[in-house]
Amino acid sequence: MTSEFFVGVDEIRYEGPNSDNPLAFRWYDKNRLVDGKSMADHLRLAACYWHSFCWDGFDIFGDGTMERPWHPNQATSDSPQDGMGQARLKMAAAFEFFVKLGIPFWCFHDRDIAPEGSSFAETTRRVDEMVDLAGQYQEQSGTKLLWGTANLFSNARFQAGAATNPDPEVFAAAAGQVAHCLEATHRLGGENYVLWGGREGYETLLNTDMGRELDQMGRFLHMVVEHKYKIGFEGLILLEPKPFEPTKHQYDFDVASVHAFLQKYGLQEEVAVNIEVNHATLSGHDFAHEIATAFNAGIFGSIDANAGDPRLGWDVDRFPVSVEEMTLGMVEVLRGGGFTSGGLNFDAKLRRQSIARDDLFHAHIGGMDTMARSLLAASSILNSGDLDDSRDSRYLGWTTEFGQSILNGEATLESLRTRSMGAQEPARVSGRQEALENTVARHIERIR
Ligand code: XLS
Ligand code: NI
Ligand code: NI
């Protein structure tokens, strides 16, 4: 349709751990069977549109650094001068990238794929036009949509939130936008729909009625669920927790607070979570903890695979490189039964100085190999029983008649007091954390 953007990069292939080719996979071997399922089906990897194609490297201190010729400020005399032409050029580059990388899924915000028009009606026409084009690209390439989402945070109208805005007119604008984006996602066969509450939170209680705002958010989410059924969308509706940034107090702080919110508004059967690694870290939790919390609550959905920086307290969205951190996450994913409609989306961006066209490939190859190794290590750990056996033995007492009598309600505080009177001091046993850490390291070292 348009000329090649990533000139000089061919399709990325699996070459195995001994390959020195930097533009090849060393671990991501999509057809390799892991516990009877292909690696591709386990991981369900996705590339995101916003960081890779909409961001040109700008930060609060300076302009973009990257060559993104579809950006208005980079238009040359032979590139499209209008917003829609630029959007088409961007989409051509994006799908060229997805295909060359061989990544099975992509994700987008409505505003990533089409520039806003001067009215809601014009904006929706533009989104629709780009959705049609995306549909054609999906068909040609076989790339599928993991999820779509509405950007309810960039436009200045959302300065005080979208669903939680003090003004119902803004709520209405957000509702209209989500109705449209959910339909667009449905038309593209999207497997999930995500709501990240960008500005759903507050800065100060001096001007904020928290209870009222949460009620609004509960109502908004019910409307989303109602609309999902109305249009026959079968994917999951996912909330993406994040503790802060952009607002100081984000309502969807972490998985546990989202769960409490869903329970309060009767939505726990309808809505699940999209867990982002760096958001977990920012909330003071381990990534694996957030996954386990979601499975325990029955609301696990999908993952934004990225990484923070241990010394920076904001959402740096690096590509994941830590096999250890991701292995511990994948152990929980596999323990919980794996993904259904969710997957692993690289909500991750390049460093500002990574301005060569092939840097985008190196970043994703590293991320995909990291996730593949982590999957293999997690499967090896679980199959060996090394962790589960020692974990089970810690709880052995609960399987006895005595342990059961406590759980099934037979025992009372009173009866346990009586029992304690004659009992010996309970024997203490080692938690063996260091030994278990070494066990994990051994599995990571040995996978091939
Ligand atoms: C921002 C979020 C965002 C969502 C999609 O921190 O991670 O990128 O994933 O709106
Ligand atoms: Ni995210
Ligand atoms: Ni994020």
Side-chain angles (χ1 to χ4, degrees):
M1 238 174 260
T2 342
S3 57
E4 206 177 356
F5 181 69
F6 296 98
V7 187
V9 183
D10 297 325
E11 272 180 37
I12 309 298
R13 293 178 199 290
Y14 170 74
E15 291 185 6
N18 295 327
S19 171
D20 287 324
N21 177 1
L23 285 172
F25 296 119
R26 290 185 295 129
W27 295 95
Y28 181 70
D29 179 5
K30 62 178 177 184
N31 297 321
R32 175 168 173 183
L33 291 182
V34 180
D35 304 328
K37 195 157 110 178
S38 76
M39 219 176 223
D41 288 347
H42 269 288
L43 298 173
R44 298 172 55 80
L45 297 168
C48 84
Y49 216 84
W50 52 101
H51 287 314
S52 296
F53 300 98
C54 304
W55 181 64
D56 65 356
F58 74 89
D59 67 9
I60 49 168
F61 299 104
D63 293 343
T65 49
M66 294 164 186
E67 190 194 356
R68 296 285 183 264
W70 43 86
H71 273 225
N73 60 2
Q74 289 192 38
T76 61
S77 54
D78 49 58
S79 58
Q81 306 296 310
D82 65 304
M84 285 303 281
Q86 287 156 352
R88 281 189 285 271
L89 186 64
K90 175 162 59 172
M91 192 167 275
F95 276 88
E96 180 193 332
F97 177 76
F98 303 151
V99 170
K100 285 183 171 176
L101 183 64
I103 196 154
F105 292 95
W106 68 297
C107 297
F108 75 100
H109 297 85
D110 47 3
R111 298 295 167 263
D112 300 341
I113 59 167
E116 282 195 76
S118 54
S119 65
F120 179 65
E122 191 190 349
T123 301
T124 55
R125 271 196 301 279
R126 289 178 169 193
V127 172
D128 285 338
E129 195 180 317
M130 293 310 296
V131 164
D132 288 344
L133 187 60
Q136 289 169 29
Y137 277 117
Q138 285 191 168
E139 213 171 295
Q140 285 161 23
S141 63
T143 313
K144 291 178 287 183
L145 181 63
L146 187 63
W147 48 263
T149 187
N151 177 330
L152 303 178
F153 44 89
S154 293
N155 193 296
R157 87 169 63 89
F158 300 122
Q159 62 172 28
T164 61
N165 200 286
D167 182 355
E169 295 293 345
V170 178
F171 182 107
Q177 197 180 321
V178 170
H180 192 254
C181 190
L182 183 55
E183 284 165 29
T185 300
H186 185 38
R187 262 185 15 243
L188 289 172
E191 307 207 4
N192 308 273
Y193 183 82
V194 166
L195 294 117
W196 169 57
R199 296 189 191 274
E200 313 292 22
Y202 72 94
E203 298 294 333
T204 172
L205 289 173
L206 296 176
N207 64 13
T208 300
D209 183 339
M210 201 204 296
R212 189 192 274 277
E213 294 199 352
L214 286 166
D215 286 350
Q216 288 171 209
M217 205 162 89
R219 178 64 194 126
F220 193 91
L221 216 52
H222 270 287
M223 290 168 120
V224 175
V225 171
E226 283 158 19
H227 200 65
K228 158 188 159 156
Y229 286 114
K230 179 147 189 238
I231 65 174
F233 177 72
E234 287 176 1
L236 284 174
I237 302 289
L238 303 171
L239 281 186
E240 183 174 325
K242 183 173 184 177
F244 46 81
E245 194 199 271
T247 65
K248 184 174 170 188
H249 301 275
Q250 298 273 128
Y251 291 129
D252 299 331
F253 188 93
D254 60 359
V255 173
S257 9
V258 167
H259 185 226
F261 168 82
L262 295 176
Q263 283 180 307
K264 176 168 182 192
Y265 293 98
L267 287 156
Q268 69 275 23
E269 303 299 327
E270 297 292 351
V271 179
V273 284
N274 182 41
I275 297 168
E276 179 163 320
V277 184
N278 200 176
H279 297 180
T281 316
L282 292 175
S283 66
H285 297 304
D286 289 341
F287 171 49
H289 164 92
E290 289 294 82
I291 299 171
T293 304
F295 273 113
N296 278 336
I299 56 168
F300 178 79
S302 200
I303 288 175
D304 273 3
N306 62 11
D309 184 300
R311 291 176 49 240
L312 299 177
W314 65 88
D315 202 8
V316 290
D317 291 336
R318 288 172 40 183
F319 278 82
V321 291
S322 164
V323 174
E324 191 200 347
E325 183 180 30
M326 292 298 148
T327 295
L328 298 179
M330 287 311 293
V331 163
E332 297 309 323
V333 171
L334 294 182
R335 261 184 184 151
F339 292 111
T340 52
S341 63
L344 288 156
N345 165 45
F346 290 114
D347 187 355
K349 61 174 186 273
L350 293 171
R351 274 50 171 267
R352 192 165 176 267
Q353 289 183 58
S354 303
I355 60 172
R357 288 190 185 183
D358 66 0
D359 284 325
L360 212 48
F361 284 92
H362 292 292
H364 282 83
I365 290 169
M368 291 164 81
D369 274 345
T370 298
M371 295 318 308
R373 274 185 85 185
S374 304
L375 168 69
L376 291 171
S379 144
S380 155
I381 289 168
L382 292 176
N383 286 329
S384 73
D386 287 350
L387 287 192
D388 287 342
D389 292 350
S390 100
R391 196 168 74 158
D392 289 349
S393 75
R394 272 189 98 207
Y395 295 91
L396 218 56
W398 289 99
T399 62
T400 63
E401 210 177 306
F402 164 59
Q404 287 301 307
S405 76
I406 297 177
L407 294 179
N408 66 21
E410 254 169 63
T412 63
L413 220 49
E414 198 67 56
S415 75
L416 293 180
R417 177 174 61 185
T418 310
R419 189 177 187 278
S420 295
M421 291 297 182
Q424 283 177 356
E425 179 64 21
R428 292 182 301 110
V429 294
S430 171
R432 303 193 72 73
Q433 185 168 343
E434 295 80 1
L436 294 168
E437 284 163 355
N438 293 350
T439 301
V440 169
R442 183 159 39 81
H443 281 279
I444 293 174
E445 282 155 25
R446 290 196 184 158
I447 48 155
R448 278 294 169 266

PDB file of all heavy atoms in Angstrom, residues 50-51 147 194 196 240-242 274-276 279 303-306 315 317 345 347, ligand 2:
ATOM      1  N   TRP A  50       0.601   2.886  20.850  1.00  0.00           N
ATOM      2  CA  TRP A  50       0.913   4.220  21.383  1.00  0.00           C
ATOM      3  C   TRP A  50       2.396   4.466  21.595  1.00  0.00           C
ATOM      4  O   TRP A  50       2.920   5.459  21.075  1.00  0.00           O
ATOM      5  CB  TRP A  50       0.084   4.533  22.631  1.00  0.00           C
ATOM      6  CG  TRP A  50       0.094   3.518  23.746  1.00  0.00           C
ATOM      7  CD1 TRP A  50       0.809   3.573  24.889  1.00  0.00           C
ATOM      8  CD2 TRP A  50      -0.679   2.309  23.816  1.00  0.00           C
ATOM      9  NE1 TRP A  50       0.550   2.472  25.674  1.00  0.00           N
ATOM     10  CE2 TRP A  50      -0.355   1.682  25.050  1.00  0.00           C
ATOM     11  CE3 TRP A  50      -1.601   1.673  22.973  1.00  0.00           C
ATOM     12  CZ2 TRP A  50      -0.927   0.468  25.449  1.00  0.00           C
ATOM     13  CZ3 TRP A  50      -2.166   0.460  23.371  1.00  0.00           C
ATOM     14  CH2 TRP A  50      -1.826  -0.116  24.596  1.00  0.00           C
ATOM     15  N   HIS A  51       3.073   3.592  22.320  1.00  0.00           N
ATOM     16  CA  HIS A  51       4.491   3.859  22.587  1.00  0.00           C
ATOM     17  C   HIS A  51       5.342   3.717  21.326  1.00  0.00           C
ATOM     18  O   HIS A  51       6.310   4.438  21.145  1.00  0.00           O
ATOM     19  CB  HIS A  51       5.038   2.886  23.631  1.00  0.00           C
ATOM     20  CG  HIS A  51       4.549   3.160  25.018  1.00  0.00           C
ATOM     21  ND1 HIS A  51       4.525   4.423  25.553  1.00  0.00           N
ATOM     22  CD2 HIS A  51       4.093   2.331  25.983  1.00  0.00           C
ATOM     23  CE1 HIS A  51       4.070   4.350  26.793  1.00  0.00           C
ATOM     24  NE2 HIS A  51       3.790   3.102  27.074  1.00  0.00           N
ATOM     25  N   TRP A 147      -6.706  -6.057  22.350  1.00  0.00           N
ATOM     26  CA  TRP A 147      -7.705  -5.169  22.936  1.00  0.00           C
ATOM     27  C   TRP A 147      -7.640  -3.765  22.362  1.00  0.00           C
ATOM     28  O   TRP A 147      -6.618  -3.331  21.846  1.00  0.00           O
ATOM     29  CB  TRP A 147      -7.639  -5.124  24.454  1.00  0.00           C
ATOM     30  CG  TRP A 147      -6.348  -4.939  25.188  1.00  0.00           C
ATOM     31  CD1 TRP A 147      -5.584  -5.939  25.727  1.00  0.00           C
ATOM     32  CD2 TRP A 147      -5.683  -3.709  25.554  1.00  0.00           C
ATOM     33  NE1 TRP A 147      -4.505  -5.394  26.396  1.00  0.00           N
ATOM     34  CE2 TRP A 147      -4.538  -4.033  26.303  1.00  0.00           C
ATOM     35  CE3 TRP A 147      -5.949  -2.364  25.324  1.00  0.00           C
ATOM     36  CZ2 TRP A 147      -3.650  -3.088  26.820  1.00  0.00           C
ATOM     37  CZ3 TRP A 147      -5.068  -1.412  25.845  1.00  0.00           C
ATOM     38  CH2 TRP A 147      -3.942  -1.776  26.575  1.00  0.00           C
ATOM     39  N   VAL A 194     -10.230  -2.721  27.195  1.00  0.00           N
ATOM     40  CA  VAL A 194      -9.566  -2.236  28.412  1.00  0.00           C
ATOM     41  C   VAL A 194     -10.015  -0.829  28.781  1.00  0.00           C
ATOM     42  O   VAL A 194     -10.245   0.014  27.904  1.00  0.00           O
ATOM     43  CB  VAL A 194      -8.018  -2.266  28.217  1.00  0.00           C
ATOM     44  CG1 VAL A 194      -7.304  -1.460  29.292  1.00  0.00           C
ATOM     45  CG2 VAL A 194      -7.513  -3.710  28.241  1.00  0.00           C
ATOM     46  N   TRP A 196      -8.349   1.918  31.171  1.00  0.00           N
ATOM     47  CA  TRP A 196      -7.355   2.391  32.127  1.00  0.00           C
ATOM     48  C   TRP A 196      -7.855   3.757  32.589  1.00  0.00           C
ATOM     49  O   TRP A 196      -8.044   4.663  31.772  1.00  0.00           O
ATOM     50  CB  TRP A 196      -5.964   2.524  31.480  1.00  0.00           C
ATOM     51  CG  TRP A 196      -5.028   3.261  32.394  1.00  0.00           C
ATOM     52  CD1 TRP A 196      -4.711   2.910  33.676  1.00  0.00           C
ATOM     53  CD2 TRP A 196      -4.335   4.488  32.129  1.00  0.00           C
ATOM     54  NE1 TRP A 196      -3.855   3.853  34.223  1.00  0.00           N
ATOM     55  CE2 TRP A 196      -3.613   4.823  33.286  1.00  0.00           C
ATOM     56  CE3 TRP A 196      -4.254   5.326  31.023  1.00  0.00           C
ATOM     57  CZ2 TRP A 196      -2.825   5.973  33.372  1.00  0.00           C
ATOM     58  CZ3 TRP A 196      -3.466   6.459  31.102  1.00  0.00           C
ATOM     59  CH2 TRP A 196      -2.756   6.767  32.268  1.00  0.00           C
ATOM     60  N   GLU A 240      -7.563  -1.543  34.288  1.00  0.00           N
ATOM     61  CA  GLU A 240      -6.110  -1.628  34.460  1.00  0.00           C
ATOM     62  C   GLU A 240      -5.694  -0.840  35.704  1.00  0.00           C
ATOM     63  O   GLU A 240      -5.699   0.393  35.698  1.00  0.00           O
ATOM     64  CB  GLU A 240      -5.417  -1.075  33.213  1.00  0.00           C
ATOM     65  CG  GLU A 240      -3.905  -1.185  33.291  1.00  0.00           C
ATOM     66  CD  GLU A 240      -3.210  -0.779  31.985  1.00  0.00           C
ATOM     67  OE1 GLU A 240      -3.772  -1.040  30.897  1.00  0.00           O
ATOM     68  OE2 GLU A 240      -2.116  -0.203  32.066  1.00  0.00           O
ATOM     69  N   PRO A 241      -5.335  -1.528  36.791  1.00  0.00           N
ATOM     70  CA  PRO A 241      -4.978  -0.804  38.011  1.00  0.00           C
ATOM     71  C   PRO A 241      -3.673  -0.035  37.874  1.00  0.00           C
ATOM     72  O   PRO A 241      -2.764  -0.461  37.163  1.00  0.00           O
ATOM     73  CB  PRO A 241      -4.800  -1.915  39.060  1.00  0.00           C
ATOM     74  CG  PRO A 241      -5.276  -3.176  38.435  1.00  0.00           C
ATOM     75  CD  PRO A 241      -5.226  -2.988  36.964  1.00  0.00           C
ATOM     76  N   LYS A 242      -3.599   1.088  38.551  1.00  0.00           N
ATOM     77  CA  LYS A 242      -2.375   1.886  38.632  1.00  0.00           C
ATOM     78  C   LYS A 242      -2.504   2.774  39.865  1.00  0.00           C
ATOM     79  O   LYS A 242      -3.546   3.392  40.055  1.00  0.00           O
ATOM     80  CB  LYS A 242      -2.225   2.730  37.363  1.00  0.00           C
ATOM     81  CG  LYS A 242      -0.939   3.537  37.319  1.00  0.00           C
ATOM     82  CD  LYS A 242      -0.738   4.223  35.967  1.00  0.00           C
ATOM     83  CE  LYS A 242       0.581   4.940  35.930  1.00  0.00           C
ATOM     84  NZ  LYS A 242       0.871   5.553  34.629  1.00  0.00           N
ATOM     85  N   ASN A 274      -6.503  -5.945  33.892  1.00  0.00           N
ATOM     86  CA  ASN A 274      -5.308  -5.969  33.047  1.00  0.00           C
ATOM     87  C   ASN A 274      -4.168  -5.484  33.949  1.00  0.00           C
ATOM     88  O   ASN A 274      -4.123  -4.313  34.316  1.00  0.00           O
ATOM     89  CB  ASN A 274      -5.498  -5.037  31.849  1.00  0.00           C
ATOM     90  CG  ASN A 274      -4.297  -5.061  30.918  1.00  0.00           C
ATOM     91  OD1 ASN A 274      -3.728  -6.112  30.650  1.00  0.00           O
ATOM     92  ND2 ASN A 274      -3.902  -3.894  30.429  1.00  0.00           N
ATOM     93  N   ILE A 275      -3.284  -6.393  34.302  1.00  0.00           N
ATOM     94  CA  ILE A 275      -2.224  -6.076  35.271  1.00  0.00           C
ATOM     95  C   ILE A 275      -0.965  -5.615  34.557  1.00  0.00           C
ATOM     96  O   ILE A 275      -0.445  -6.321  33.692  1.00  0.00           O
ATOM     97  CB  ILE A 275      -1.895  -7.332  36.115  1.00  0.00           C
ATOM     98  CG1 ILE A 275      -3.125  -7.751  36.920  1.00  0.00           C
ATOM     99  CG2 ILE A 275      -0.696  -7.078  37.024  1.00  0.00           C
ATOM    100  CD1 ILE A 275      -2.997  -9.123  37.547  1.00  0.00           C
ATOM    101  N   GLU A 276      -0.474  -4.440  34.924  1.00  0.00           N
ATOM    102  CA  GLU A 276       0.775  -3.963  34.315  1.00  0.00           C
ATOM    103  C   GLU A 276       1.922  -4.109  35.318  1.00  0.00           C
ATOM    104  O   GLU A 276       1.804  -3.712  36.484  1.00  0.00           O
ATOM    105  CB  GLU A 276       0.623  -2.509  33.877  1.00  0.00           C
ATOM    106  CG  GLU A 276       1.900  -1.955  33.257  1.00  0.00           C
ATOM    107  CD  GLU A 276       1.670  -0.688  32.462  1.00  0.00           C
ATOM    108  OE1 GLU A 276       0.645  -0.608  31.755  1.00  0.00           O
ATOM    109  OE2 GLU A 276       2.509   0.216  32.552  1.00  0.00           O
ATOM    110  N   HIS A 279       3.061  -0.932  37.006  1.00  0.00           N
ATOM    111  CA  HIS A 279       2.041  -0.412  37.915  1.00  0.00           C
ATOM    112  C   HIS A 279       2.050  -1.203  39.224  1.00  0.00           C
ATOM    113  O   HIS A 279       1.846  -0.644  40.297  1.00  0.00           O
ATOM    114  CB  HIS A 279       0.650  -0.503  37.288  1.00  0.00           C
ATOM    115  CG  HIS A 279       0.486   0.320  36.044  1.00  0.00           C
ATOM    116  ND1 HIS A 279      -0.691   0.369  35.333  1.00  0.00           N
ATOM    117  CD2 HIS A 279       1.335   1.138  35.384  1.00  0.00           C
ATOM    118  CE1 HIS A 279      -0.545   1.168  34.292  1.00  0.00           C
ATOM    119  NE2 HIS A 279       0.674   1.643  34.299  1.00  0.00           N
ATOM    120  N   ILE A 303      -2.297  -9.010  30.750  1.00  0.00           N
ATOM    121  CA  ILE A 303      -1.089  -8.408  31.334  1.00  0.00           C
ATOM    122  C   ILE A 303      -0.477  -7.383  30.380  1.00  0.00           C
ATOM    123  O   ILE A 303      -0.387  -7.624  29.175  1.00  0.00           O
ATOM    124  CB  ILE A 303      -0.042  -9.504  31.661  1.00  0.00           C
ATOM    125  CG1 ILE A 303      -0.507 -10.325  32.865  1.00  0.00           C
ATOM    126  CG2 ILE A 303       1.339  -8.896  31.940  1.00  0.00           C
ATOM    127  CD1 ILE A 303       0.376 -11.504  33.209  1.00  0.00           C
ATOM    128  N   ASP A 304      -0.066  -6.241  30.945  1.00  0.00           N
ATOM    129  CA  ASP A 304       0.793  -5.316  30.217  1.00  0.00           C
ATOM    130  C   ASP A 304       2.209  -5.610  30.666  1.00  0.00           C
ATOM    131  O   ASP A 304       2.614  -5.285  31.795  1.00  0.00           O
ATOM    132  CB  ASP A 304       0.424  -3.849  30.523  1.00  0.00           C
ATOM    133  CG  ASP A 304      -0.673  -3.337  29.595  1.00  0.00           C
ATOM    134  OD1 ASP A 304      -1.176  -4.130  28.767  1.00  0.00           O
ATOM    135  OD2 ASP A 304      -1.021  -2.147  29.682  1.00  0.00           O
ATOM    136  N   ALA A 305       2.959  -6.259  29.778  1.00  0.00           N
ATOM    137  CA  ALA A 305       4.314  -6.695  30.118  1.00  0.00           C
ATOM    138  C   ALA A 305       5.281  -5.545  29.896  1.00  0.00           C
ATOM    139  O   ALA A 305       5.461  -5.096  28.773  1.00  0.00           O
ATOM    140  CB  ALA A 305       4.700  -7.903  29.262  1.00  0.00           C
ATOM    141  N   ASN A 306       5.853  -5.063  30.976  1.00  0.00           N
ATOM    142  CA  ASN A 306       6.899  -4.048  30.856  1.00  0.00           C
ATOM    143  C   ASN A 306       7.749  -4.129  32.117  1.00  0.00           C
ATOM    144  O   ASN A 306       7.738  -5.138  32.822  1.00  0.00           O
ATOM    145  CB  ASN A 306       6.305  -2.650  30.600  1.00  0.00           C
ATOM    146  CG  ASN A 306       5.429  -2.150  31.722  1.00  0.00           C
ATOM    147  OD1 ASN A 306       5.374  -2.719  32.811  1.00  0.00           O
ATOM    148  ND2 ASN A 306       4.725  -1.063  31.470  1.00  0.00           N
ATOM    149  N   ASP A 315       6.259   5.578  35.922  1.00  0.00           N
ATOM    150  CA  ASP A 315       5.933   4.531  34.961  1.00  0.00           C
ATOM    151  C   ASP A 315       6.868   4.645  33.757  1.00  0.00           C
ATOM    152  O   ASP A 315       6.518   5.261  32.756  1.00  0.00           O
ATOM    153  CB  ASP A 315       4.471   4.755  34.531  1.00  0.00           C
ATOM    154  CG  ASP A 315       3.832   3.500  33.972  1.00  0.00           C
ATOM    155  OD1 ASP A 315       4.454   2.440  34.047  1.00  0.00           O
ATOM    156  OD2 ASP A 315       2.701   3.605  33.460  1.00  0.00           O
ATOM    157  N   ASP A 317       7.931   2.323  31.801  1.00  0.00           N
ATOM    158  CA  ASP A 317       7.534   1.475  30.671  1.00  0.00           C
ATOM    159  C   ASP A 317       8.706   0.932  29.869  1.00  0.00           C
ATOM    160  O   ASP A 317       8.713   1.021  28.637  1.00  0.00           O
ATOM    161  CB  ASP A 317       6.583   2.241  29.732  1.00  0.00           C
ATOM    162  CG  ASP A 317       5.231   2.494  30.362  1.00  0.00           C
ATOM    163  OD1 ASP A 317       4.848   1.738  31.266  1.00  0.00           O
ATOM    164  OD2 ASP A 317       4.549   3.442  29.946  1.00  0.00           O
ATOM    165  N   ASN A 345       0.744  -7.883  26.575  1.00  0.00           N
ATOM    166  CA  ASN A 345       0.920  -6.723  25.699  1.00  0.00           C
ATOM    167  C   ASN A 345       2.158  -5.940  26.115  1.00  0.00           C
ATOM    168  O   ASN A 345       2.290  -5.563  27.285  1.00  0.00           O
ATOM    169  CB  ASN A 345      -0.329  -5.833  25.820  1.00  0.00           C
ATOM    170  CG  ASN A 345      -0.108  -4.448  25.245  1.00  0.00           C
ATOM    171  OD1 ASN A 345       0.450  -4.297  24.160  1.00  0.00           O
ATOM    172  ND2 ASN A 345      -0.534  -3.424  25.973  1.00  0.00           N
ATOM    173  N   ASP A 347       3.320  -3.005  26.707  1.00  0.00           N
ATOM    174  CA  ASP A 347       3.032  -1.583  26.937  1.00  0.00           C
ATOM    175  C   ASP A 347       4.380  -0.978  27.355  1.00  0.00           C
ATOM    176  O   ASP A 347       4.612  -0.679  28.521  1.00  0.00           O
ATOM    177  CB  ASP A 347       1.980  -1.451  28.043  1.00  0.00           C
ATOM    178  CG  ASP A 347       1.506  -0.015  28.216  1.00  0.00           C
ATOM    179  OD1 ASP A 347       2.071   0.873  27.549  1.00  0.00           O
ATOM    180  OD2 ASP A 347       0.588   0.217  29.021  1.00  0.00           O
TER     181      ASP A 347
HETATM  182 NI    NI B   2      -0.769  -0.253  30.445  1.00  0.00          NI
END
